């Protein structure tokens, strides 16, 4: 289950309803899917072939299509990151800079853990959303944020897009942000 850490105060928010309520006030969509329906052999597998990715998409087909219909997403795929990913550190550097998008950034975590760091309202500032299997988040367009892995450096996520070109980041310089 997702947990939030507000960086300015170190306050932590946990529990599905509390997390959903906080994120809703920050204009961030949060949902939870049943990650246990994923076949056991894929629940902790972080190096995936095309067949594995297809199986993940098939397992969550109804959830993906429901979310896509409600939010206008037109394409989706699966991303898997771990220490086995070639050039992982270089790839993470691309993700680990505050940026925005011209569409929502959506991730449905199917295995592993990761963190979205998001710029909230002026009274909140930046906050971390620690995600695990089953958590689904949609950071709205133009909202400054970035994503990184947790200490175990393993994650599998379904990504949904409106634009068929996929992930396109626009750097957001913010002198107030501190890692």
């Amino acid at each position: 289950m997702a947990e939030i850490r507000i960086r300015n105060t170190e306050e932590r928010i946990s529990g599905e309803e509390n997390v959903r309520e906080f994120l809703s006030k920050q204009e961030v969509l949060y949902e939870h899917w049943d990650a246990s329906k994923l076949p056991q052999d894929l629940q902790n597998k972080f190096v995936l072939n095309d067949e594995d990715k297809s199986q993940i998409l098939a397992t969550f087909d109804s959830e993906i299509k429901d979310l896509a219909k409600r939010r206008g997403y037109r394409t989706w795929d699966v991303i898997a990151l771990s220490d086995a990913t070639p050039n992982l550190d270089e790839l993470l550097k691309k993700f680990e800079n505050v940026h925005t998008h011209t569409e929502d950034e959506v991730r449905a975590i199917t295995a592993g853990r990761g963190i979205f760091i998001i710029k909230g309202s002026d009274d909140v500032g930046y906050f971390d959303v620690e995600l695990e299997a089953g958590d689904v988040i949609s950071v709205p367009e133009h909202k400054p944020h970035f994503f990184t892995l947790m200490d175990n450096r393993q994650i599998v996520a379904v990504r949904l897009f409106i634009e068929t070109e996929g992930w396109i980041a626009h750097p957001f310089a913010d002198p107030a942000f501190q890692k």
Side-chain angles (χ1 to χ4, degrees), residues 25-149:
K25 288 178 183 174
Q26 299 301 314
E27 301 174 336
V28 175
L29 172 78
Y30 173 78
E31 297 181 357
H32 195 81
W33 294 352
D34 180 8
S36 69
K37 71 187 246 181
L38 191 66
Q40 188 70 35
D41 64 317
L42 291 175
Q43 290 184 13
N44 288 300
K45 186 174 183 182
F46 300 97
V47 177
L48 304 175
N49 59 35
D50 288 343
E51 184 178 316
D52 296 332
K53 291 177 181 181
S54 292
Q55 190 171 7
I56 291 168
L57 293 174
T59 299
F60 293 104
D61 184 65
S62 63
E63 292 89 341
I64 293 167
K65 286 181 177 170
D66 174 63
L67 185 58
K69 182 179 179 185
R70 286 185 283 132
R71 310 273 298 187
Y73 306 126
R74 300 185 317 178
T75 186
W76 40 88
D77 65 12
V78 173
I79 187 169
L81 300 172
S82 71
D83 284 325
T85 303
N87 304 313
L88 178 64
D89 290 323
E90 287 178 34
L91 187 60
L92 289 175
K93 284 179 188 172
K94 185 170 98 170
F95 297 156
E96 290 176 344
N97 291 309
V98 178
H99 60 269
T100 62
H101 302 279
T102 56
E103 67 173 283
D104 302 347
E105 182 164 342
V106 186
R107 299 294 178 270
I109 311 304
T110 64
R113 302 183 69 202
I115 304 174
F116 266 99
I117 294 86
I118 303 170
K119 184 173 185 173
S121 56
D122 290 342
D123 60 319
V124 171
Y126 281 90
F127 58 91
D128 300 350
V129 184
E130 300 173 5
L131 302 165
E132 60 185 38
D135 292 326
V136 180
I137 190 168
S138 177
V139 179
E141 63 182 329
H142 306 299
K143 188 172 241 351
H145 68 279
F146 75 90
F147 175 82
T148 193
L149 299 177

